[in-house]
Amino acid sequence: MVLVGIVGKPNVGKSTFFKALTLQPVEIDNRPFVTIEPNKGVAYVRVEDVGPEFGVISNPRHGFIKGKYRFVPIEVIDIAGLVPGAHEGKGLGNQFLDDIRKADGIIMVVDAVGATDEEGHFVGPGKYDPLKDIKWLEEELDYWFYNVLKRNIDKILRVAKIEKRPIDREIAKIMSGLNVNIDHVKKAFRDLNLDSEFYDFDDELLFKLAHLLRIYSKPFVIAANRIDIDPDLAEKNIERIKKEYPLTIPTSGYAEYILKELDKQGKISYIPGESDFEILKPLSEKEKKVLDFIKTNILERFGSTGVQNALDTLVFDVLKYIAVFPGGIDKLTDKEGNVLPDCFLLKEGSTVLDFARKIHEDLAKHFVKAIDVRTRKILGKDYKLKHRDVIHIVSSK
Ligand SMILES: Nc1nc2c(ncn2[C@@H]2O[C@H](COP(=O)(O)OP(=O)(O)O)[C@@H](O)[C@H]2O)c(=O)[nH]1
Ligand SMILES: [Mg+2]
């Protein structure tokens, strides 16, 4: 499953953001370092469902349908807060980053209103520049990769020399625990003008390599969070951050959590990611007031709470996943009568054969042909899938 890590300093709302994504109970507190054990849970990316095109209502085996959308499960991990110097043991250190070593990408949460200093202590809105956080957070992530490289580089070089193996392959092997693959290393080597027989790594070069491997294997989006505290101030900061980091999304984990919770209680109908909600049941004065605030200051102003948007941007735009549906050419149901029960997330560029393999190894082994269920066109095994394709696979068994 796609795995997303939530990273940031203490007290920027990481755990609240996680709770808004997963509706899973977590420890929330405005003391630094509340989260030590990672929170792991299931969140959902949003895909326009294909059911309506076929005049059917899907019932997903995993995830759910809401409105015209299908929410497809992925995994998220919320870890402890980092502080500057974490790699030297400051705060809780950076050991807990290992909890996200397998992450495909990162949501970096910062405090859009700058109300917390670099260690997460409350200083008041406007007193701290959130752009500074992004810089040192990036550096801490680089150090994390650097330390793993540094620990292993002598061995890597020795093995590569003695066994006459290409150095990039050896690096990819050692770094695979951090989700680094050979393509990432090759790309980094190209950027640094290194070839696969380069042995002369000094610390400076190693750090540059660590940085590149980190951005290639753990790309990130920024959630400029807690916009509800002061939307004007947040907007100003975000405009500035976006100049350097275009993939910055204004978010309010708090607003998203309230909306989802009231939706769960059946008091409102809210589709995550939308700019509006519908009131279904009488609300208390307090609930009315909060919803009114969220509607005016968050939804109407920023277009959504941003939480769903941040996750979808990371998974679809940055990590380049596409959603593909298995479907029979004559019927869209499985044996139990579930309509379009499955939806798989695959990397852009995946072929029909990759898709078959994802469903079942046997389906790939005995692959005969595939059919595009929409157009009824026959597709070969090398056909590159598109987002929201519905594919029937014919096998000889
Ligand atoms: N106003 C506002 N407060 C938030 C939001 N998210 C979290 N908080 C508050 O910020 C504090 C820290 O939240 P928490 O989620 O524990 O942050 P973490 O340390 O980064 O995991 C708590 O008092 C939360 O209630 C938000 O979107 N808006
Ligand atoms: Mg936390």
Side-chain angles (χ1 to χ4, degrees):
M1 228 199 284
V2 181
L3 178 63
V4 170
I6 299 177
V7 170
K9 70 183 180 186
N11 247 331
V12 291
K14 296 182 301 299
S15 297
T16 306
F17 195 94
F18 171 88
K19 195 168 79 161
L21 280 173
T22 62
L23 284 189
Q24 199 167 288
V26 292
E27 249 183 297
I28 311 270
D29 200 328
N30 66 15
R31 269 179 301 127
F33 311 127
V34 162
T35 311
I36 295 168
E37 285 303 307
N39 295 308
K40 293 183 193 172
V42 174
Y44 303 87
V45 291
R46 192 172 102 148
V47 178
E48 209 178 311
D49 194 48
V50 295
E53 283 179 56
F54 297 95
V56 295
I57 296 168
S58 305
N59 34 1
R61 204 194 314 266
H62 307 289
F64 55 92
I65 298 282
K66 211 157 169 64
K68 59 179 184 174
Y69 299 103
R70 182 173 188 122
F71 288 83
V72 182
I74 60 129
E75 269 181 304
V76 276
I77 300 188
D78 162 40
I79 56 169
L82 284 165
V83 301
H87 69 282
E88 293 167 329
K90 296 262 170 64
L92 294 174
N94 70 356
Q95 290 301 308
F96 54 81
L97 281 171
D98 284 340
D99 293 327
I100 55 158
R101 65 184 181 276
K102 282 287 177 194
D104 298 287
I106 286 173
I107 296 178
M108 194 184 273
V109 182
V110 300
D111 186 357
V113 297
T116 37
D117 71 11
E118 51 188 17
E119 298 196 330
H121 304 293
F122 183 78
V123 288
K127 294 276 158 49
Y128 183 82
D129 180 3
L131 192 54
K132 285 200 332 210
D133 286 342
I134 305 168
K135 307 272 179 197
W136 67 253
L137 280 165
E138 280 217 79
E139 197 175 282
E140 288 303 327
L141 294 173
D142 286 346
Y143 269 114
W144 172 34
F145 272 56
Y146 168 77
N147 284 336
V148 178
L149 262 182
K150 176 89 180 158
R151 237 185 352 260
N152 292 289
I153 193 69
D154 288 344
K155 195 175 115 202
I156 293 173
L157 295 174
R158 208 166 48 236
V159 171
K161 255 186 194 161
I162 295 171
E163 317 254 331
K164 296 208 177 346
R165 290 201 215 138
I167 195 96
D168 47 3
R169 294 236 161 240
E170 285 308 297
I171 290 177
K173 207 158 78 190
I174 294 291
M175 301 295 279
S176 65
L178 285 162
N179 241 10
V180 171
N181 63 37
I182 184 66
D183 293 336
H184 300 139
V185 185
K186 280 194 185 299
K187 211 163 146 198
F189 266 48
R190 260 198 311 275
D191 294 349
L192 296 169
N193 278 321
L194 305 177
D195 61 50
S196 59
E197 278 165 44
F198 184 88
Y199 295 109
D200 207 11
F201 285 92
D202 59 17
D203 279 353
E204 200 188 322
L205 185 58
L206 217 50
F207 196 84
K208 281 185 187 156
L209 179 62
H211 168 74
L212 291 169
L213 294 180
R214 192 267 301 171
I215 55 176
Y216 292 148
S217 66
K218 301 256 182 290
F220 66 95
V221 296
I222 294 163
N225 197 36
R226 307 211 297 179
I227 50 175
D228 56 281
I229 291 178
D230 185 339
D232 284 333
L233 181 56
E235 217 160 42
K236 264 192 219 134
N237 278 336
I238 289 166
E239 205 176 303
R240 211 161 38 82
I241 297 171
K242 269 193 163 170
K243 286 197 181 120
E244 266 184 77
Y245 297 92
L247 291 172
T248 300
I249 296 133
T251 63
S252 170
Y254 159 80
E256 180 75 356
Y257 177 69
I258 302 263
L259 292 170
K260 276 199 182 166
E261 193 54 43
L262 290 175
D263 175 87
K264 197 169 118 189
Q265 293 169 19
K267 291 181 178 168
I268 66 170
S269 167
Y270 168 66
I271 301 171
E274 290 299 89
S275 58
D276 207 356
F277 54 85
E278 196 188 332
I279 296 171
L280 302 177
K281 280 186 191 162
L283 301 166
S284 71
E285 278 311 307
K286 197 177 156 211
E287 286 166 342
K288 269 192 213 154
K289 228 175 122 190
V290 171
L291 283 177
D292 214 40
F293 176 86
I294 291 176
K295 194 176 167 73
T296 318
N297 292 289
I298 307 295
L299 298 180
E300 281 171 6
R301 183 156 183 177
F302 292 93
S304 77
T305 71
V307 174
Q308 186 66 48
N309 186 6
L311 188 67
D312 292 342
T313 302
L314 178 64
V315 172
F316 295 120
D317 301 345
V318 177
L319 298 174
K320 305 221 177 288
Y321 277 92
I322 55 170
V324 183
F325 299 76
I329 189 78
D330 295 320
K331 65 180 182 58
L332 295 167
T333 49
D334 66 5
K335 283 191 224 86
E336 284 92 47
N338 295 310
V339 183
L340 289 162
D342 292 309
C343 173
F344 292 95
L345 295 173
L346 287 103
K347 280 278 193 182
E348 198 179 272
S350 295
T351 63
V352 155
L353 200 62
D354 295 327
F355 180 55
R357 200 172 293 122
K358 183 121 183 167
I359 301 171
H360 202 287
E361 197 54 54
D362 281 348
L363 211 50
K365 217 153 113 199
H366 307 290
F367 178 87
V368 176
K369 64 178 177 184
I371 305 165
D372 181 325
V373 176
R374 267 197 202 91
T375 61
R376 305 199 155 240
K377 267 197 196 127
I378 309 283
L379 310 169
K381 65 179 186 347
D382 296 327
Y383 171 82
K384 281 204 175 44
L385 296 159
K386 296 189 304 295
H387 187 49
R388 299 178 67 251
D389 264 347
V390 187
I391 305 289
H392 175 104
I393 293 191
V394 181
S395 75
S396 59
K397 257 200 182 162

